[in-house]
Amino acid sequence: MRTLDWTPVCPLDRLDPDRGVAALVDGVQVALFRTGGELYAIDNLDPVGGAYVMSRGIVGSRGGLPTVASPLHKQVYDLRTGRCLELAGVALRRHGIRCREGLVEVRLRQEQ
C-alpha cells in the first residue's frame, strides 16, 4: 500500500463529536470522524451500496470498538480497521489522520 503526503482539511473544531464529515482530499471522497477522543478517516464510498454516504453513517460502538453504520443498508464497520463486522471480506479503506496545531490533516492510502 502506497501512502501520499499529508493534506490539510479543516480546523479540528469543524468536526463535531460522533458525527461524520465528508471531505475531498486529492480527488478522493473521505469520511472524517471524531469520536471517543480519536480521529478516523475512511473512504466515503459505501462498499455494499455503492454510494458516497459513509460520512452520514451512524457513529457508535460494538464491543468497545468505535464503529460507523452505513446509512444505506446498516452494515457496521470498525473505524480503526475499516473491517465490516457483519460481512466477511468487506472493508472500507482507511486513511491516515492527525491534528497538528488545531488543523486536521489526512494522508491518503492507496493500494499499489
Side-chain angles (χ1 to χ4, degrees), residues 31-101:
L32 309 177
F33 297 92
R34 179 179 175 189
T35 185
E38 298 291 329
L39 297 173
Y40 302 95
I42 56 175
D43 274 355
N44 198 31
L45 180 64
D46 180 333
V48 175
Y52 290 92
V53 296
M54 293 308 298
S55 63
R56 295 186 304 207
I58 301 164
V59 176
S61 65
R62 184 179 285 179
L65 303 175
T67 61
V68 63
S70 168
L72 293 178
H73 300 290
K74 309 303 184 234
Q75 287 85 12
V76 176
Y77 297 86
D78 181 343
L79 283 170
R80 299 167 315 132
T81 65
R83 183 177 64 87
C84 182
L85 302 180
E86 298 162 340
L87 299 172
V90 176
L92 294 161
R93 185 173 44 168
R94 295 176 311 110
H95 302 285
I97 187 168
R98 68 183 182 188
C99 182
R100 284 186 31 177
E101 299 177 7

